[in-house]
Amino acid sequence: MTREITLSKAVNEAIAEEMRRDPAVFLMGEDVAEAGTPFKVLAGLVDEFGPDRVIDTPISEPGFVGMAVGAAMTGSRPIVDLMFGDFLYLVMDQLCNQAAKTHYMSGGKLTVPMVLRTNLGATRRSAAQHSQSLHALVAHIPGLKVAMPSSAYEAKGLMKTAIRDENPVVIFEDKLMYQDKAPVPEEEYLIPFGAANVLREGRDITLVATSSMVQVAQKAAEALQADGISAEVIDPRTLVPLDEATIVESVRKTSRAIVIDEGHRNFGVTGEIASRIAEKAFYHLDYPVQRMGAMDVPVPFSPALEDLTVPTPEAVAEAARRAVRGEVADAA
């Protein structure tokens, strides 16, 4: 049976189901117990599982992420809540030097089955230190898996897969999507990592979009349909592993592509995916691969300025029209 629930509820359900299934799973982070996080995503879990498995930590991100790494190495399966994705800068040593490398440096004797769940996304008026989308930072590090759900359905299936994975996984949820609803089965399901989702089939251009930008791409595709342009929309679901084959196959069919991501455009996800398309589908391209990301500036607090920094459906649709018409690409 399928019902419509919010992305917030989907994450909550996924974690609760995995904690019931496996007593080694526990949850820790700032305000995860009594407050249920500032976004109330984890509300009620402490009532069922108690403060020994839903643990409020001090305001010390390096400390509690380091504790999670140690717990994972010694038999537990921690889920670490990092209140804002911007705080990743504080835990890069624990995550990238310890969690990511332990399996390799121990000759395969140790694993670090931990999940670090955090968020991304601008346009919430949270200013430059609470509005960043930093998924490219951790996707760059070998040994970490990176998932980016784009709906409630994706959030639940990817979270359950992440918790069961033997590797450290960083999962990014868009903070503006917590109240968005989508059909989610009541029955258990998992979404495998490295399997992209083709949300809409098309023939003229491929739109590869991550997380919050999936909705942007879908709206752009609807607008393009009115102009007689058929856009294919692909959600990679995970950056690591990346389903390169599905993306390349689509671009070989459509001969044009735009990659859309809310991270900064420079040296980011759009550049990596565009590069792979250019390498694997070059002779099928009728137009240069286009990239659309967040403006390369600190995210402004001003609503009028902040809204200009991230891709919009209108901007994506216009870029697609130029590509289909074969007009000279913008120099950016």
Side-chain angles (χ1 to χ4, degrees):
M1 182 179 295
T2 299
R3 69 266 139 91
E4 284 206 346
I5 61 173
T6 63
L7 190 148
S8 176
K9 175 65 173 173
V11 173
N12 190 297
E13 280 190 358
I15 293 173
E17 288 174 11
E18 292 304 301
M19 291 181 73
R20 293 181 198 119
R21 186 187 66 85
D22 185 350
V25 178
F26 72 94
L27 177 65
M28 65 190 302
E30 297 159 352
D31 292 337
V32 297
E34 299 306 319
T37 77
F39 303 99
K40 307 304 177 187
V41 177
L42 306 178
L45 292 179
V46 71
D47 299 327
E48 178 176 353
F49 299 103
D52 290 337
R53 293 185 68 195
V54 181
I55 305 168
D56 276 336
T57 65
I59 302 174
S60 177
E61 287 83 0
F64 65 74
V65 173
M67 290 170 62
V69 174
M73 289 169 58
T74 53
S76 294
R77 306 187 77 88
I79 305 167
V80 189
D81 184 282
L82 199 62
M83 189 182 289
F84 284 90
D86 312 69
F87 304 163
L88 275 169
Y89 293 122
L90 299 170
V91 303
M92 292 300 273
D93 182 64
Q94 290 79 0
L95 188 62
C96 300
N97 272 336
Q98 309 303 328
K101 296 176 173 61
T102 292
H103 185 66
Y104 173 79
M105 296 184 70
S106 67
K109 294 180 180 179
L110 295 173
T111 58
V112 186
M114 63 174 276
V115 176
L116 190 148
R117 65 168 294 269
T118 190
N119 51 50
L120 57 77
T123 69
R124 186 177 173 268
R125 321 314 182 199
S126 296
Q129 295 175 336
H130 292 76
S131 302
Q132 298 170 87
S133 300
L134 301 179
H135 41 287
L137 291 181
V138 289
H140 182 70
I141 305 301
L144 299 177
K145 295 186 177 182
V146 181
M148 301 182 67
S150 60
S151 70
Y153 175 84
E154 304 289 328
K156 184 170 184 180
L158 290 171
M159 178 60 76
K160 289 173 73 70
T161 300
I163 293 169
R164 299 187 192 189
D165 202 294
E166 293 301 316
N167 302 277
V169 178
V170 186
I171 187 162
F172 290 87
E173 301 152 7
D174 185 273
K175 61 177 76 79
L176 284 180
M177 294 173 61
Y178 281 129
Q179 297 309 309
D180 290 359
K181 291 186 175 182
V184 176
E186 291 185 354
E187 299 78 21
E188 181 174 80
Y189 68 97
L190 284 80
I191 295 175
F193 286 180
N197 185 21
V198 180
L199 291 148
R200 182 186 184 115
E201 294 191 356
R203 64 179 183 277
D204 298 320
I205 191 166
T206 299
L207 306 179
V208 183
T210 64
S211 185
S212 55
M213 294 294 102
V214 171
Q215 292 184 9
V216 169
Q218 288 180 300
K219 290 176 182 176
E222 291 170 5
L224 291 167
Q225 190 66 41
D227 297 337
I229 297 172
S230 174
E232 186 147 298
V233 178
I234 297 178
D235 172 11
R237 288 175 164 162
T238 56
L239 298 181
V240 184
L242 180 69
D243 185 357
E244 181 182 284
T246 295
I247 295 169
V248 169
E249 180 182 0
S250 172
V251 178
R252 286 176 175 172
K253 176 181 67 174
T254 65
S255 76
R256 304 171 186 88
I258 303 176
V259 186
I260 312 137
D261 178 75
E262 200 170 338
H264 293 303
R265 187 174 183 273
N266 279 356
F267 303 98
V269 169
T270 59
E272 177 62 29
I273 296 177
S275 175
R276 296 199 191 192
I277 293 170
E279 289 172 353
K280 300 294 177 64
F282 179 79
Y283 292 105
H284 298 264
L285 290 171
D286 290 335
Y287 193 82
V289 182
Q290 299 298 290
R291 300 184 292 126
M292 301 184 72
M295 195 179 293
D296 292 308
V297 297
V299 179
F301 172 75
S302 162
L305 295 177
E306 185 180 17
D307 290 343
L308 297 175
T309 65
V310 297
T312 63
E314 295 76 18
V316 173
E318 185 53 35
R321 293 185 189 102
R322 289 197 301 270
V324 172
R325 290 193 297 254
E327 296 176 359
V328 177
D330 288 342

